[in-house]
Amino acid sequence: LRNVLMMTSTVSGEGKTLTSLNLGICLAQELDHTALVVDADLRKPMVHEYLGMTAEPGLIQCLTEDYPLEKALVKTGIGKLVVLPAGGTVPNPVELLSSKRMNELVRELKDRYPDRYVLFDTTPVLSFAESQSLASIMDGVIFVVREGKAKLNQVKLALETLKKNNNLLGVVYNDSHLVLKHDDYYYSYYSR
């Protein structure tokens, strides 16, 4: 079952956290699915802020203090959406997120509930190494690009990096200002 997915971007500010949450909410509102969003951005965690909850306890405590995973999971009240907050920040997340314990935790999350989608919100690919390390243990990667944020050569480099040994599922193109012209009419998102 391919139910463990990672969201990343080229640089910060491209909307990967909101994309993770929005996808999680959509999946959690389906009748036969639950969704878990894991805040694995241990440099600048934002999931808890968007949902108005505390960051601790969370992923860091589960990885470093043997904190029970089930006690760190937070029900959001939004459909069947559950969140594992980051648990704070750490100075060098690469070691923590590439540890044996992290591999075990991902396996546990994958196998515990076969009908649950697990979405990892991570750091941008070009800025930090931990997203590349995490991508190698995920079932798939969703790449978020915000129009006008990263330079084209940066996006290409990030995509090449992700494609090497990972299952890149697709790209979410955020904040597009594209207007299509058809004959003499202009179509935007709201025109129909």
Side-chain angles (χ1 to χ4, degrees), residues 26-40:
C26 288
L27 291 169
Q29 291 178 336
E30 294 289 322
L31 291 176
D32 54 349
H33 293 297
T34 59
L36 168 62
V37 175
V38 179
D39 195 342

Side-chain angles (χ1 to χ4, degrees), residues 24-142:
I25 289 168
C26 288
L27 291 169
Q29 291 178 336
E30 294 289 322
L31 291 176
D32 54 349
H33 293 297
T34 59
L36 168 62
V37 175
V38 179
D39 195 342
D41 186 342
L42 303 184
R43 293 178 189 271
K44 190 179 176 186
M46 294 294 294
V47 170
H48 69 284
E49 288 188 22
Y50 283 119
L51 296 174
M53 59 179 57
T54 59
E56 294 181 33
L59 179 60
I60 293 170
Q61 290 73 28
C62 292
L63 294 174
T64 61
E65 302 170 16
D66 261 351
Y67 193 84
L69 178 61
E70 53 279 352
K71 286 187 175 183
L73 298 175
V74 179
K75 291 182 180 177
T76 64
I78 304 169
K80 294 179 268 179
L81 178 67
V82 178
V83 168
L84 176 58
T89 59
V90 292
N92 189 7
V94 179
E95 288 178 30
L96 201 54
L97 295 175
S98 61
S99 68
K100 179 182 176 195
R101 177 65 187 118
M102 183 65 187
N103 280 309
E104 291 167 355
L105 185 120
V106 170
R107 177 60 51 202
E108 182 181 348
L109 290 173
K110 179 176 178 55
D111 296 340
R112 182 181 279 194
Y113 301 105
D115 66 337
R116 175 184 278 171
Y117 283 95
V118 184
L119 308 172
F120 280 79
D121 179 41
T122 65
T123 56
V125 175
L126 293 187
S127 305
F128 308 104
E130 57 263 28
S131 57
Q132 295 171 47
S133 174
L134 272 177
S136 67
I137 58 173
M138 298 287 134
D139 292 331
V141 177
I142 297 173

